[in-house]
Amino acid sequence: MKKITIALLLLSQLSLFAQDYKFGKVSKEELEESFYPLDSTADAAYLYRKRRTYFDYIPNDGFQMVTVIHERIKIYSKEGFDMATKSVAYYDPEVGEEQSVSSIKGYTYSLVKGKVSKEKLSKKSIFKEKKNRSYSIKKITMPNIKIGTVLEIKYKLISPYTSSINDLQFQYGIPVKKLDYKIEIPEYYSFNKRSKGYYSVKMKKDSKSGTVGSTNFRVDVFSFDGNTIPALRDNEPFISSIHNYRGGMKFELTQTDFSSLQGSVKTFSNSWQDVSKQIFKSSSFGTELKKSSYYKDDLEKILTTSKTNLEKIAAIFNFVKKQVKWNGNYSKYTDNGVRKAYKERVGNVADINLMLTSMLRSAGFNANPVLLSTRKNGIPFFPTLDGFNYVIAMVDFQDESYVLLDASEEFSLPNMLPTRALNWKGRKVTKEGGSIWVELTSSKHASEDNSVMVKISDEMMVEGMVRTKYDNLNALNYRKNNNHIKEEDLITKLEEKYKLEIEDYKVLNKKVLEKSVIRNVKFLSEDLIEEINGKIYIEPLLFLSEHNNPFKLEDRKFPVDFATPWKDRNTVSIQIPEGYKVESLPESLAIGLPDGLGVFKFRVMQQGNKISTISILQFNEGVISAQYYASLKDFYGQMVKKQSEKIVLIKL
């Protein structure tokens, strides 16, 4: 009965005052609200989010698509201030028809001496920022933000491209109190509707009349009315993109029928095969692959110095990496074009990897581009052009093996793609425009191997050496994350992380990609042991112990995505100080996840005057399904508990 009463009280708080969602009509009660009743941890909330997408007929031009957005946002804490900056991306190519963002208006509302005060958004706070050759961003910065304010923004996005309706998003990183969406589609367009994520809002269908000149036509109206939608935050670890799992809906064009207006009927078969063919036919994709004269002389030089096929592939791959530097832009289409990128020595992902594919083909290899979606772009569950935003190269061999190559990544190796590209599967596109799925993730574990040797001084200081070896994706990531940082900064970072005083530091093979990265560190520390009543307490793994279980949710509906299989192996040797002996050691533990997904092995043993510890944590799949989450959480919890147990030494 008590729980029911509390729930009713919270709901009454949400509807305590009559809501007026008309733009410019924010209430005093909304400003007085100090926390979101159904989620007191929320830093901000959408009090109201409205979207209307409709088709507007322009004489002599045809239909254009108009989307009007109205947002009312409540700020509950300083962490919610980020919501005061709005970025609206829109298609803005250097050549061709562009979208536009217009009719921007906004207010910041505050309580001043008990009265509602509002400050108008200034035109000076609206900026255009060019993202790349194809897209721009309209940035809107709301004025005078403080805890308790309410923001209101309204704008219009106009697009000449009527074949693509932007996805509906029901769920965000903050709660939504009231959601009101309407999508109005003329009878000439047929769209499939597909739900996405783990939260849905019921769709209602109605119709109304529209006109083109003297012609009347039916407009189908799809309405979505949502209330108290919970947030799905991105603070849970090991997620490729939280946007994959937030509730929403996709609209996919399947047919246009303008026969009643003396037009034609067009059918859009949205299979992955069709999507791949459409991309292949683009002048910024298939046409670029055919260009070869610009690199002919350089390729001849490369081939004369290489003997085996693998040597030739590696030489071409390394040449392209050095010849053209990545400008940081993703795309399945070329930006500058392969010739210009080659000449100016800079280009986007497609410029670089389509060039690589072309050179490999010219060298006689069965090479093809592979389309994929980056981790931030999400998993393309359904066939759409937007499903792919990246391209790499692939070489097939007669024994049905293959090698994947990404020359945009300075530290990548054959069959060792950067983390950004490890997302589900890729789609290989052949010379004829046919396509097939291929696996992207390497079967090799990303590994970290730590070997530690220490002794304890009479002053209870731990002195020793640690040798760390990084292999495969871990080696790539180490180089990518650290090679550009000064050594003294890396030392400081390591000292702060592990509470060490580093006396000597050396890293080997930073630029020798074919070898493991090896880091040797000589250190001392007074924070690794406890001396209580003549006894010494020390964790077997010293500073390598894991003390926190990253999996905190009671239930997780989406998979745990490590990107790749991985393995951590730690061996620690502790010399027992003179005058002491072992009183107790942690017991050994060996546990596993279901279906061979992972193992944890832990063993501590005494060998003469030394205590040796071996700890192995290994995951054999890059992605672990949500059905195993409870097992994984318990598995990690047991590991953390075991690594936190202490060795106890007593005086002789």
Side-chain angles (χ1 to χ4, degrees), residues 116-143:
V116 177
S117 170
K118 67 179 182 179
E119 185 171 341
K120 188 177 181 180
L121 172 67
S122 167
K123 289 184 178 180
K124 294 180 180 179
S125 297
I126 303 171
F127 308 91
K128 177 182 176 180
E129 186 178 290
K130 192 69 177 172
K131 186 177 181 182
N132 52 45
R133 287 182 63 187
S134 299
Y135 283 89
S136 291
I137 295 173
K138 196 76 87 172
K139 279 200 167 181
I140 306 165
T141 304
M142 299 300 293

Side-chain angles (χ1 to χ4, degrees), residues 330-341:
Y330 301 163
S331 184
K332 55 183 173 283
Y333 300 122
T334 57
D335 191 357
N336 298 319
V338 289
R339 278 200 182 98
K340 189 175 181 182

Side-chain angles (χ1 to χ4, degrees), residues 77 307 365 494:
S77 71
K307 295 180 181 179
F365 293 104
L494 203 62

